[in-house]
Amino acid sequence: MKRIILLIFFNVSFIYTNAQSFGFQIENEKDIIEIPFEIHNNFMVVQVVINNSLPLKFIFDTGAEHTILSKNIFAGILGLTYDRPIRLIGADLNQELIAHVSNNVHIKVGDAIASSQDILILSDDYFKLDEYVGLEIHGIIGADLFRNLVLKIDYKRNSIYIQRTSSFRTPKRKWKEIPVSIDKNKPYILAQATFGDRKAKIKLLIDTGASLSLLLHTNTSTDIQLPENIIQGSVGRGLGGILEGYLGRVNRLEFGGLFFNNIITNYQDVSEAISIESISNRNGILGHALISRFNVIIDYPKEKLYLLPHRRYNKGFKYDRSGLELIVSGKKLKTITVYNLIKSSPADHAGFQKGDRIISVNGIPTRFLNLKGVSKKLTKKVGKKIKVKIKRGDQIMILRFKLRDLI
């Protein structure tokens, strides 16, 4: 799978005063409210209606503390008012960004309603989510909407369910109960990672808004080690731009009696400009590519996590075998462009350059494949022959290579 990652780190320099952040409301004790979602390039996308206006597309993100409108061009159309400006620290953990608080916002997601919610409006579209999701995305649904409820994610039905904790009954049969802690609306678990002959106890954020499997902050523990076989470069994108780091594997990851071997892992340092305490002393992130191998229940008030493993939940993790990192742009998001190359990869040796526009892959035009389809072709078996037609400036070129494992 391509490295399409959304990471959101907040150092928010404000405190809500007289806030109306009540979250989703459940009128009847036994009601269970459903929110359907779609998966686009490993992101959970839900339809959101703000102030009873037009429907928008948001990422559903357990790793975000607040709900965010990333495209401020819609603020006027939605009747949103700007309150005070606030400062955010971007996902590069250095750059300062500006947002505004909008109060008393009516939000409807599926059958769930929050009638008086505070949200953040970014002063610019820092995320540029469209480029990575392959779909126009307008914002992020954060945990402030469901922090007082029980949240269930059913990946078999592509539905989210919420209910009051007082009517929730502990699931039986094959569900695994795992200790979880909630800090600033966000859930964390403790796990054990194996690096060669060394084991490390690590604290991980459960983050459906990160499309990766696992990310580790290398400078948060002396037991976290970079593997010998790594790729250097960008590990994703978040508030503030591209995230630099490494990609490799962890020999083994274990939590709650569950395990994964040779898991694809992103490695990134936490900037010296922020304290480890400000990101809840975590060592990394458990992302959607791994979380989606379970049905998930989080009881936020009681701080309990339940996981139902899917069949072959710990099967191998696929990764791009070409070295191409792609984004989409243009009218209807149909233009697929190379935004980065992994050095010494098959695509690099074939002569690709940043900015090349992909026209077709193995004879199939990209207008029929879209970003997900192209990415899928680039994760095929080792030795698979790939023929790509590109446009570079005014030139049309054919480039060929064979897929191989990069890590």
Side-chain angles (χ1 to χ4, degrees), residues 16 95 150 231 315 326 402:
Y16 282 129
Q95 183 177 348
V150 176
I231 299 169
K315 65 182 180 181
L326 307 172
K402 292 182 180 180

Side-chain angles (χ1 to χ4, degrees), residues 109-357:
V109 188
D111 294 329
I113 293 175
S115 60
S116 186
Q117 188 72 17
D118 291 348
I119 69 170
L120 303 183
I121 304 174
L122 298 184
S123 62
D124 197 3
D125 186 9
Y126 303 111
F127 290 139
K128 301 189 186 302
L129 291 169
D130 307 358
E131 296 180 354
Y132 300 90
V133 182
L135 183 75
E136 186 173 5
I137 299 295
H138 306 94
I140 292 167
I141 289 294
D144 54 347
L145 282 168
F146 45 84
R147 63 185 175 185
N148 297 318
L149 301 168
V150 176
L151 171 74
K152 178 181 179 180
I153 304 174
D154 188 330
Y155 284 101
K156 298 293 187 181
R157 297 177 179 270
N158 276 18
S159 285
I160 300 160
Y161 302 92
I162 55 174
Q163 67 181 108
R164 293 183 185 178
T165 191
S166 56
S167 64
F168 172 70
R169 298 293 177 263
T170 302
K172 305 295 184 182
R173 300 172 63 188
K174 298 180 180 179
W175 287 83
K176 301 276 189 179
E177 182 176 340
I178 299 172
V180 66
S181 60
I182 307 296
D183 188 14
K184 297 179 182 176
N185 303 339
K186 296 181 284 190
Y188 298 85
I189 64 168
L190 297 178
Q192 179 175 274
T194 302
F195 307 88
D197 58 357
R198 179 176 294 190
K199 297 182 184 296
K201 300 291 185 182
I202 54 177
K203 180 181 180 181
L204 300 174
L205 169 65
I206 301 173
D207 189 355
T208 61
S211 67
L212 50 77
S213 297
L214 178 67
L215 180 142
L216 295 177
H217 302 307
T218 49
N219 58 343
T220 59
S221 170
T222 56
D223 290 328
I224 297 177
Q225 297 180 327
L226 284 175
E228 292 184 6
N229 186 18
I230 57 174
I231 299 169
Q232 183 175 4
S234 62
V235 298
R237 185 174 196 142
L239 275 173
I242 298 295
L243 309 178
E244 298 297 326
Y246 299 90
L247 187 81
R249 292 183 184 266
V250 164
N251 296 112
R252 190 175 176 93
L253 180 73
E254 302 172 71
F255 52 85
L258 304 164
F259 70 91
F260 304 85
N261 292 324
N262 296 318
I263 181 172
I264 293 173
T265 305
N266 296 268
Y267 295 87
Q268 183 202 26
D269 280 354
V270 175
S271 169
E272 295 179 359
I274 70 168
S275 66
I276 302 301
E277 289 78 12
S278 67
I279 56 172
S280 303
N281 293 301
R282 72 170 181 242
N283 303 109
I285 289 172
L286 201 64
H288 184 261
L290 190 146
I291 297 167
S292 60
R293 296 177 175 218
F294 305 89
N295 281 1
V296 181
I297 297 174
I298 305 175
D299 186 336
Y300 281 85
K302 293 185 178 179
E303 296 189 298
K304 291 188 177 182
L305 169 70
Y306 304 90
L307 297 178
L308 179 63
H310 295 168
R311 183 173 175 269
R312 298 183 63 213
Y313 76 91
N314 54 3
K315 65 182 180 181
F317 292 83
K318 289 185 178 181
Y319 183 68
D320 165 67
R321 291 186 166 114
S322 71
L324 287 172
E325 299 181 6
L326 307 172
I327 58 173
V328 294
S329 60
K331 188 177 181 180
K332 296 184 179 180
L333 299 173
K334 295 295 185 181
T335 301
I336 301 179
T337 306
V338 178
Y339 84 90
N340 198 24
L341 279 168
I342 294 173
K343 292 181 180 180
S344 301
S345 66
D348 187 25
H349 290 313
F352 282 87
Q353 295 181 11
K354 293 181 183 180
D356 287 345
R357 176 183 170 184

Side-chain angles (χ1 to χ4, degrees), residues 12-60:
V12 183
S13 60
F14 78 103
I15 300 174
Y16 282 129
T17 57
N18 300 318
Q20 302 297 311
S21 296
F22 297 133
F24 289 134
Q25 300 152 21
I26 299 178
E27 294 183 1
N28 297 317
E29 178 71 21
K30 294 185 179 181
D31 280 354
I32 298 176
I33 296 176
E34 181 178 7
I35 302 172
F37 66 86
E38 299 175 349
I39 299 292
H40 292 272
N41 257 7
N42 222 25
F43 290 98
M44 295 174 65
V45 179
V46 296
Q47 181 171 286
V48 178
V49 178
I50 294 179
N51 287 346
N52 298 307
S53 187
L54 69 164
L56 303 175
K57 299 289 188 181
F58 278 49
I59 302 292
F60 189 87

